Amino acid sequence: MEYSLHSVRAQDRTCGLGILVHGERSNVVVGPGGAGWGAGVRRGCLMSVAGTDAAPTLLRHGLFTARLALPIIVARAALLLMVTVDTVMVGRAGAAELAYFGLGVAPQVTLMLVAVGGLQATAVLAAQALGANDAFRAGAVARAALVHGVLLGLAILVLSRFAEGFFLAVGQTPDLSAGAARVCGAFGYGMPGILVFVAGNLFLEATGRPKTGMLIMLLANLINVPLNAVFG
């Protein structure tokens, strides 16, 4: 049995990629709708296999990957930009405030990364469900991810209440510990919302819609500076 990769088209547009399985008795197309022609029809994608000369090239794959990856890259970079802007604006307030901010954010970032690592399974499980055409299971994954985002955010919020004692235990001065604990507590209140956004965004990325998260992060950066000026 041999396999070859072809483009799957419907109504003069590419629906996705199909694998043509060359068997002893027949050829079967495995495409976006599943195995066989009937699966494609159920998806509303009447399949036809393009010739070898129309097979997707490396450039096509690269462009398709770029369309998915670039919004994700921009969204991640926007998050780093937001933290950088916060640091710069806090530094204008004074050296002590910058020290409070730097120390207070450190444990929050660590805990957030741990929580995000746990939520990464959202993208994997959602992609598996969608690849199997199981919309019900994909919805269940989305709901579970949002619940886990809330629970993990609340756990970090509770842990942030003990920040001052933690800073004193690791040898920080009382003044620095008190100031950093206030910063840590403020970030703790935002963690449930942040992790719910992360869970929802991971699901959207798994479904091929990464631009939503990118636009939200760009908007957040636009309003971050004036909000820092007002509440800073």
Side-chain angles (χ1 to χ4, degrees):
M1 185 174 291
E2 299 179 355
Y3 304 87
S4 60
L5 186 65
H6 298 269
S7 61
V8 178
R9 300 185 64 82
Q11 299 176 351
D12 297 327
R13 67 182 182 85
T14 300
C15 296
L17 300 179
I19 299 175
L20 182 60
V21 183
H22 307 278
E24 294 181 357
R25 297 184 179 180
S26 63
N27 295 333
V28 179
V29 175
V30 180
W37 294 84
V41 174
R42 286 195 299 273
R43 283 286 301 273
C45 178
L46 194 57
M47 296 183 184
S48 63
V49 181
T52 304
D53 57 341
T57 63
L58 182 61
L59 178 60
R60 280 184 177 177
H61 285 293
L63 291 175
F64 180 73
T65 300
R67 283 198 298 270
L68 290 175
L70 286 177
I72 298 174
I73 294 171
V74 172
R76 303 297 188 271
L79 178 60
L80 295 177
L81 177 62
M82 183 178 294
V83 174
T84 301
V85 170
D86 289 341
T87 303
V88 171
M89 296 193 72
V90 170
R92 293 170 59 88
E97 286 73 14
L98 184 59
Y100 299 154
F101 179 80
L103 182 60
V105 167
Q108 289 289 353
V109 171
T110 301
L111 292 172
M112 182 181 70
L113 291 177
V114 171
V116 170
L119 293 173
Q120 289 289 337
T122 303
V124 177
L125 295 175
Q128 288 177 345
L130 293 170
N133 280 334
D134 192 343
F136 180 80
R137 183 155 61 96
V141 170
R143 291 190 295 272
L146 294 175
V147 171
H148 281 91
V150 172
L151 294 177
L152 289 169
L154 291 176
I156 295 176
L157 173 60
V158 172
L159 289 175
S160 67
R161 301 298 93 190
F162 303 96
E164 185 172 0
F166 170 75
F167 292 139
L168 289 171
V170 296
Q172 302 299 328
T173 64
D175 176 66
L176 185 56
S177 298
R182 291 194 297 271
V183 173
C184 196
F187 270 83
Y189 285 113
M191 277 300 162
I194 291 174
L195 294 178
V196 166
F197 165 74
V198 169
N201 193 42
L202 286 170
F203 181 81
L204 290 174
E205 291 172 356
T207 59
R209 292 173 288 180
K211 292 182 180 179
T212 303
M214 178 191 72
L215 293 175
I216 291 174
M217 286 305 305
L218 292 176
L219 177 62
N221 272 275
L222 288 176
I223 65 176
N224 184 43
V225 173
L227 287 179
N228 279 343
V230 172
F231 296 102

